Amino acid sequence: MLASVKAQTLEESEVPKYTLPALTILNNGKDVKTAKVWESKRRDEIISLLKNEMYGIMPKKPKRMVFKVFDMDSTAINGKATRKQVRVIFDKKADSIFMDILIYIPNKIKQPVPLILGLNFAGNQEALNDPKIKITESWVSKKSKGAIKNKATEASRGNAEDVFPIERMIDEGYAAATIYAGDIDPDYLDLNNAVQSLYPKLQNRKDNFSTIGAWAWGLSRAMDYFEKDKQVDEKRVVLTGLSRLGKAALWAGALDQRFAMVISTESGKGGDALFKREFGESVDRITKVFPQWFCLNFDKYANNVSQMPFDQHMVLALVAPRPLYIGTAIEDLNEDPKGEFLSLKAAELVYKLFGFNGLPINQLPKVNQPIQTDKLGFHIREGKHGITAYDWHNYFVFIKSRL
Ligand code: GTR
């Protein structure tokens, strides 16, 4: 049984007074006045704070990693695309630990093509109703549609076509790639299994990389592959993610500057929303319901949010000066839409250091009124937690003029 969880605030009037940790003051107390000092000094300070206290430290790029293209078919999606499936074995001496990248590349484009990447919740076979996609053999949640005893089945093919619209991406001239998050690290409490088992020296450390950290690490390994794939323009890779996978996309995009753009949908606490508002999902809940997501050091903030020396505006600021879009929904109170907006609003300071615009407003915008500046995007749509055609419409507008 789960230990009792502190009640969650859904009343704006109960939001405590808080001060966000400063983005542009160095640990030695000096102001960061230029993008150069941000890049050369403050960025690293913030990254080590977030690694130590929240997401865990991360291993470097593995030396013995191998990529095996085990499927290639130029007749996919009615001849519009080439499907590739690539197995990434992180360490050739431990080949039972791998992730499979599913990639579709538009056939009409002959030069290296920009790509949209996102993790998926229950196996690559969910991404498109294409019988040639390998069904994941990794653990999947029992809640996944079609899962039997934590294994994916044929019944799950194409379940998530709306979440990550591959055919639309192909039609718009982008390659699409997806990876099952659970190939990298299954979403249950075991901080030493899957990819973490490759790094025994990190085990039992309070700053060992967590599940969200592992997913982010896996996204960077996908980028290692794209750098080698001549059909992909690795300088134009957009990272996307919904909800917990948005948390991972943001963290990967924050750390790995090879990603050209990040789009996060309703990633909430541990993603784009401010913890210090203490509105919606609490740190107490997230550390008890999902103890695998963050490193053990993070648990000490469960009922101690005011003492946190960091908050999520720092993660967003690390994406600067690259384009960043946050999408949310009015009924998704668990993720705290206002806290998602205010987090982006706080992060704009760093975009301004680089000479780019901040958001033209100070308050959460009205529903269905998207804002797009030179580098930032935000919308709050009507409806519940999830991702809709409306979200994707706005993302494509943003991507087209900024990638
Ligand atoms: C919820 C969790 C959120 C969000 C979401 C999801 O239960 O409270 O932080 O990540 O799951 O991933 O669907």
Side-chain angles (χ1 to χ4, degrees):
M1 270 304 282
L2 203 63
S4 69
V5 170
K6 193 179 158 199
Q8 313 208 54
T9 306
L10 293 177
E11 290 296 333
E12 196 57 38
S13 61
E14 288 173 19
V15 170
K17 283 210 162 45
Y18 63 89
T19 311
L20 289 182
L23 282 174
T24 54
I25 300 180
L26 290 163
N27 290 348
N28 66 11
K30 289 197 178 138
D31 271 349
V32 176
K33 293 198 184 110
T34 62
K36 202 171 159 216
V37 175
W38 167 267
E39 280 284 322
S40 62
K41 297 205 166 92
R42 184 61 178 148
R43 206 182 133 76
D44 288 344
E45 289 182 355
I46 291 178
I47 288 174
S48 58
L49 178 65
L50 292 166
K51 280 185 177 169
N52 293 337
E53 297 299 298
M54 187 171 172
Y55 299 97
I57 52 170
M58 270 186 193
K60 294 203 179 81
K61 178 178 168 180
K63 291 205 178 80
R64 296 185 300 232
M65 183 163 54
V66 284
F67 306 121
K68 286 189 179 160
V69 180
F70 64 89
D71 171 47
M72 170 102 88
D73 176 2
S74 61
T75 65
I77 318 185
N78 301 319
K80 284 197 280 194
T82 296
R83 183 191 60 249
K84 280 190 203 179
Q85 298 186 74
V86 182
R87 178 151 298 179
V88 179
I89 299 166
F90 305 108
D91 180 346
K92 64 181 177 198
K93 295 201 169 157
D95 62 2
S96 63
I97 299 168
F98 57 80
M99 64 179 192
D100 287 342
I101 317 178
L102 170 67
I103 311 171
Y104 288 89
I105 296 173
N107 286 336
K108 64 181 180 202
I109 301 178
K110 300 298 170 208
Q111 69 269 39
V113 64
L115 178 142
I116 303 177
L117 169 67
L119 295 172
N120 62 67
F121 286 89
N124 292 348
Q125 77 287 342
E126 275 201 324
L128 197 67
N129 196 356
D130 174 344
K132 301 279 180 52
I133 300 173
K134 185 170 186 320
I135 295 186
T136 185
E137 288 166 19
S138 301
W139 174 97
V140 297
S141 161
K142 280 190 190 129
K143 291 185 199 152
S144 324
K145 212 168 142 197
I148 299 176
K149 294 190 179 159
N150 296 109
K151 289 283 169 202
T153 66
E154 287 287 335
S156 61
R157 288 197 183 279
N159 271 344
E161 286 189 356
D162 296 341
V163 175
F164 192 70
I166 291 178
E167 188 165 356
R168 167 111 190 253
M169 292 172 194
I170 296 298
D171 291 341
E172 302 272 359
Y174 302 103
T178 187
I179 303 158
Y180 173 40
D183 273 5
I184 308 165
D185 194 17
D187 198 3
Y188 57 78
L189 181 60
D190 185 337
L191 292 179
N192 296 329
N193 65 346
V195 292
Q196 288 113 354
S197 70
L198 298 171
Y199 300 95
K201 285 195 186 138
L202 297 182
Q203 291 178 9
N204 304 318
R205 282 177 57 156
K206 289 196 162 184
D207 60 355
N208 188 14
F209 65 142
S210 58
T211 295
I212 303 263
W215 292 342
W217 182 85
L219 287 166
S220 285
R221 304 295 66 83
M223 180 52 106
D224 298 337
Y225 168 75
F226 299 140
E227 287 183 329
K228 297 218 157 20
D229 186 327
K230 293 203 168 52
Q231 289 182 289
V232 173
D233 180 352
E234 80 278 6
K235 299 259 179 316
R236 292 197 295 159
V237 175
V238 182
L239 198 46
T240 67
L242 166 64
S243 209
R244 67 197 68 187
L245 304 182
K247 302 182 208 294
L250 279 171
W251 181 229
L255 293 177
D256 191 336
Q257 293 174 301
R258 293 175 298 173
F259 291 110
M261 182 184 293
V262 185
I263 298 176
S264 147
T265 307
E266 296 156 29
S267 59
K269 299 304 171 67
D272 51 14
L274 295 174
F275 285 118
K276 288 189 184 277
R277 276 174 40 80
E278 300 195 50
F279 182 104
E281 184 168 36
S282 63
V283 180
D284 192 34
R285 177 180 191 272
I286 215 167
T287 53
K288 285 187 178 133
V289 180
F290 307 105
Q292 69 277 17
W293 282 358
F294 306 108
C295 74
L296 297 174
N297 274 338
F298 185 61
D299 294 354
K300 64 175 175 281
Y301 299 109
N303 287 300
N304 208 9
V305 177
S306 64
Q307 296 306 306
M308 270 183 175
F310 57 90
D311 210 331
Q312 297 307 103
H313 63 314
M314 292 180 155
V315 176
L316 303 188
L318 291 172
V319 179
R322 293 161 292 151
L324 170 63
Y325 197 115
I326 302 289
T328 190
I330 186 89
E331 289 175 47
D332 192 9
L333 294 179
N334 187 52
E335 321 294 327
D336 184 15
K338 186 170 172 183
E340 294 177 304
F341 172 79
L342 291 174
S343 185
L344 187 63
K345 185 71 195 165
E348 73 178 20
L349 184 61
V350 178
Y351 283 83
K352 287 180 178 169
L353 267 188
F354 282 92
F356 297 108
N357 292 319
L359 296 168
I361 49 167
N362 297 323
Q363 301 294 328
L364 188 63
K366 293 211 170 71
V367 166
N368 299 347
Q369 292 194 4
I371 294 164
Q372 301 199 359
T373 70
D374 42 9
K375 297 283 176 181
L376 300 173
F378 183 89
H379 71 248
I380 176 163
R381 62 161 170 78
E382 61 194 28
K384 296 191 176 61
H385 189 64
I387 188 164
T388 66
Y390 177 86
D391 295 315
W392 277 109
H393 167 78
N394 288 293
Y395 299 156
F396 279 117
V397 171
F398 189 74
I399 293 170
K400 263 188 203 153
S401 52
R402 290 166 187 81
L403 189 62

